[in-house]
C-alpha cells in the first residue's frame, strides 16, 4: 500500500503495472508472466480486504480515506467526515422556563 500511495503522492499519474509492482516489491524478474505468478493480485486483494475491514470497524480517525479500487493499483483518496467514536452526548435539560411551558416541571 505504501508503494502505490507514495507513487501517487510523488505526482506519478501513469498507471502502475502489475509487473512493475512485482519487480519492485516482490523481487520477481522484470518480465515475469503475471498469469504464472499472481502475487501482486493476491496481495492487492488482501490490501483491499483489510482496508474495508479497517474502514468498516470505524478505526479511521482521519478525514482522508484511502481506497484501492478493484482492477487498479492506483489508490483513490476521499475526504470523509470524522465522527468521534466515543462521544458521550447526553441531551441537556431544557431551561426551567421551557420545562414549565412543556408541562415537564416537577416530573
Amino acid at each position: 500500500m505504501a508503494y502505490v500511495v507514495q507513487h501517487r503522492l510523488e505526482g506519478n499519474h501513469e498507471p502502475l503495472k502489475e509487473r512493475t509492482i512485482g519487480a519492485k516489491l516482490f523481487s520477481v524478474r522484470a518480465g515475469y508472466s503475471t498469469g504464472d505468478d499472481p502475487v501482486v493480485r493476491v496481495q492487492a486483494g488482501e490490501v483491499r480486504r483489510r482496508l474495508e475491514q479497517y474502514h468498516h470497524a470505524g478505526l479511521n480517525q482521519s478525514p482522508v480515506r484511502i481506497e484501492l479500487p478493484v482492477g487498479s493499483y492506483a489508490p483513490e483518496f476521499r475526504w470523509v467526515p470524522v465522527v468521534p467514536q466515543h462521544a458521550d452526548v447526553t441531551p441537556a435539560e431544557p431551561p426551567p422556563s421551557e420545562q414549565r411551558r412543556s408541562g415537564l416541571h416537577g416530573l
Side-chain angles (χ1 to χ4, degrees):
M1 185 67 171
Y3 177 76
V4 297
V5 168
Q6 188 66 36
H7 183 267
R8 178 57 60 103
L9 292 177
E10 288 174 351
N12 299 314
H13 295 289
E14 75 267 359
L16 279 168
K17 304 281 190 211
E18 184 176 345
R19 281 188 183 91
T20 304
I21 296 171
K24 296 269 187 188
L25 298 180
F26 301 105
S27 303
V28 295
R29 59 184 171 71
Y32 82 102
S33 170
T34 58
D36 292 340
D37 189 349
V39 66
V40 174
R41 285 183 306 243
V42 170
Q43 291 302 314
E46 180 66 17
V47 167
R48 289 181 186 105
R49 185 180 68 77
R50 288 180 182 220
L51 279 172
E52 184 60 35
Q53 287 175 342
Y54 177 75
H55 293 307
H56 184 70
L59 300 173
N60 187 11
Q61 293 299 310
S62 170
V64 178
R65 182 175 176 149
I66 303 173
E67 296 176 345
L68 191 62
V70 174
S72 172
Y73 300 111
E76 292 181 358
F77 306 93
R78 288 190 314 142
W79 290 98
V80 293
V82 177
V83 178
Q85 209 173 27
H86 300 290
D88 291 331
V89 180
T90 337
E93 287 263 336
S97 61
E98 286 185 29
Q99 286 179 351
R100 276 187 232 106
R101 276 187 273 157
S102 65
L104 297 175
H105 186 65
L107 292 180

